[in-house]
Amino acid sequence: MKNSALTLILVLLMIACKNEIPQKEKPVFTPPVSYETASLWADTIVNLMTLDEKISLIGGNRIFFTNAIPRLGIPAVMMTDATQGIHLRDHFHEIVYEPVLPKSTAFPSPILLASTWNRSLAEQYAHSIGEECKAAGIAVLLGPGMNIYRISQCGRNFEYFGEDPYLAASMIENYVTGLQSTGTIATLKHFVANNTDFFRRKSNSVVDERSLHEIYTRAFKAGIDAGAMAVMTSYNPLNGEWCGQSRYVIDTLLRQQLGFKWLVMTDWWSVYDGEQVIESGQDLEMPYRLATENIKPLLDSHKITVEHINRMVKSILTTLYAMKSFDRKPDISLLSTFPQHEEVALQTAREGVVLLRNENQLLPLNDNVKNILLTGQFVDEIARGGGSGTVEGYNPVTLRSALQDEFGEKLTVSKKAKAEQIRSADAVILSIGTLDSEGWDRPFDLPDTTENMIMHVANLNPHTVVVVNSGSGINMSAWHDKVEAILYAWYGGQNGAKAVAEIISGKVNPSGKLPVTIEKDFKDSPGYGYIPAGETLYNDWNEEAEKLHPVFDVPYNEGVFVGYRWYEKKAIVPLYPFGFGLSYTSFSYSNLKVSSRSFRADEVLTVVLTVTNTGKTTGSETVQLYVADQDSKYPRPAKELKGFEKFSLNPGESKKVVIKLDKKDFSYWSPEKKDWVAEPGKFTILVGSSSTDIRLKKEVELSL
Ligand code: BGC
């Protein structure tokens, strides 16, 4: 057997076996040097440092490095962006970097990773990225991003893990342990409530405390508990204070309430008042000292003390020493691991592409389909997200070549197909999408040219498969029922098109499920109306305009009712609900049992059910478990995701699924008690295949 085939089997086996991670057993990373030992070492170094050396350390250097202290043998530490693999830069802001690695793998974007609902893939994905950091000598990965999808128009949704805090948290804890097991520090970003890129430094997120805990910090908490060693604060103000210099955000919320003890850094050029930065609990101003440029006058006037600076320096040193980041050197022999990374990237795309519609079982295209036309936007171009998280990749597979591999002679490609070509095809594959980016938001509605193109093709030939490449939801209302199939392919990285082609041919049975709700109209969204009156979206970095733009409020009036929590509360039917995704096979759910009808808050409740593949094809299902509080002091969502499990079944095969629930899964955040509270009373356990396709229910009662 060829080596590459063997590697593929091994990787797939690893992925399959890891599907078995039992619930409630949370992955936790332990650094090579303990926090206590590292902080003793840091104390010693701080004592040896001059004031100037200390001051130099609290700001970055050359945009992506920490400062070196050569006198004490402390080297500079390198960072890079993370989103869809590692962003290798050879220059930025007139700084030229020596290329350390010839290439990095373009992975699917995190929203696609979230669509896999596969914890072990999150771990594999991050492990692969960590290995590439190691190859490049990068000690700190500036990711994962995990801001909640509140607004479908947010330009950075592709970098995040969707709308549900439990799903995001589950993926993040595995991401963190996978990444950090390679000795690469994970940076959880952007803390906090950074949910739009429309003039992001000026959008003041007005959020209540309960929503902060239940929705916006939940994935951060999971990352922290899993051992993440860095956090990046966000551009936006939260309730009137810029996050990177807010004592509430950093000291109270992040450090005291969420228990984070390692390195905190600012986002790039995001803080303004040195005194506030230093007092907030912030450690490191990136990309260099700007707000904290003039520290000496602050010290002389006793506005800050040397103890403040010592604390910052100590936090930076403790973190980097505990992870042995000072020892990290490029190791390009690790290029030998890249083929495995490509396999992980491909497997992620296979599991994360979501089949939204498949009328008349158009897909997979069967042998009767002799004449397939490929047309549209991303035929020869790889759609990817833009901004700091962009990744070029290598050996990209285009949709043209991937479909040619699957269908050979049957495929005709015409970017601007004639009406007759479209009409006469047995099936049309129509590629459309949006190129989302950091720095701005983009409309939920597609441009007229794209909309017209889809209508044109759909009117001529209903046997159309629309393949959507986008980082977020788009408006499909006008045409979704005029085409027979829709594949939501997000940004799939360098091999994403291969996964799409394999799904279209039936080699792969789709198993992705939406990590977001796709609304019918943007007016339905909880975020509707966030753009200040009279303004419109822009499509550029617009940094100068941002500087001049006044701070404006983005009130999170919906509170905890974000995503499906909102649509269910308002009884708004979305176009495609959270958790939804079709398969080429079907699954039945039966025998739902709970370990006890009434349980105490200190007990773990075990939920068991049976799932059977009732179709003719092997396929993977993601069982979703939601909890509904029947009666509560505070308004609570109609249901909330609290467990899921993904597994593959052969035709006719059944599996006993076990999901465990603990007190936290029944709790809400009490702003009065400043803690999680589980109220005694009745709850309903709902189990299903999506948030709206609930197959089984059971009532349980919680006592104290
Ligand atoms: C982004 C961060 C990124 C940083 C460094 C900023 O523009 O918001 O996510 O890590 O740049 O590239």
Side-chain angles (χ1 to χ4, degrees), residues 63-64 80-83 87 89 92 141-143 145 156 159-160 187 189-190 194 197 200-201 232-235 265-269 286-287 387-389 438-439 541 543:
I63 316 281
F64 293 106
T80 197
D81 278 294
T83 295
H87 187 171
R89 300 181 196 251
F92 192 68
L141 185 78
L142 302 172
R156 296 190 87 168
E159 302 192 51
Y160 307 145
T187 306
K189 74 183 187 185
H190 310 85
N194 183 191
D197 257 41
R200 56 189 179 168
R201 289 178 173 85
M232 184 192 295
T233 51
S234 56
Y235 280 118
M265 71 178 83
T266 69
D267 200 342
W268 273 226
W269 298 282
M286 292 304 291
S388 59
E438 171 183 352
W541 283 93
E543 306 254 318

Side-chain angles (χ1 to χ4, degrees), residues 118 207 209 328 332 382 528 579-580 601 685 687:
N118 184 333
V207 195
E209 192 183 332
R328 184 147 276 202
I332 57 165
I382 306 287
Y528 180 70
F580 176 76
I685 310 283
V687 180

Side-chain angles (χ1 to χ4, degrees), residues 59-73:
N61 191 345
R62 290 185 295 144
I63 316 281
F64 293 106
F65 291 81
T66 58
N67 269 298
I69 316 281
R71 187 180 70 88
L72 298 172

Side-chain angles (χ1 to χ4, degrees), residues 199-202 242 269 272 290 541-551:
F199 293 127
R200 56 189 179 168
R201 289 178 173 85
K202 298 298 174 67
W242 269 287
W269 298 282
Y272 312 95
L290 198 61
W541 283 93
N542 245 358
E543 306 254 318
E544 287 312 308
E546 188 182 59
K547 274 188 199 136
L548 300 174
H549 200 288
V551 171

Side-chain angles (χ1 to χ4, degrees), residues 101 130-137 182 328-339 341:
L101 259 193
E131 240 165 21
E132 298 199 3
C133 287
K134 202 169 172 184
T182 66
R328 184 147 276 202
K329 303 265 175 333
D331 176 3
I332 57 165
S333 71
L334 283 168
L335 278 169
S336 64
T337 59
F338 280 37
H341 305 166

Side-chain angles (χ1 to χ4, degrees), residues 68 118 171 224 273 277 288 375 407 431 436 452 493 576 591:
N118 184 333
M171 300 306 273
I224 291 166
D273 181 316
V277 173
Y288 43 76
T375 185
F407 297 105
S431 156
D436 305 352
N452 293 340
Y576 292 107
N591 279 334

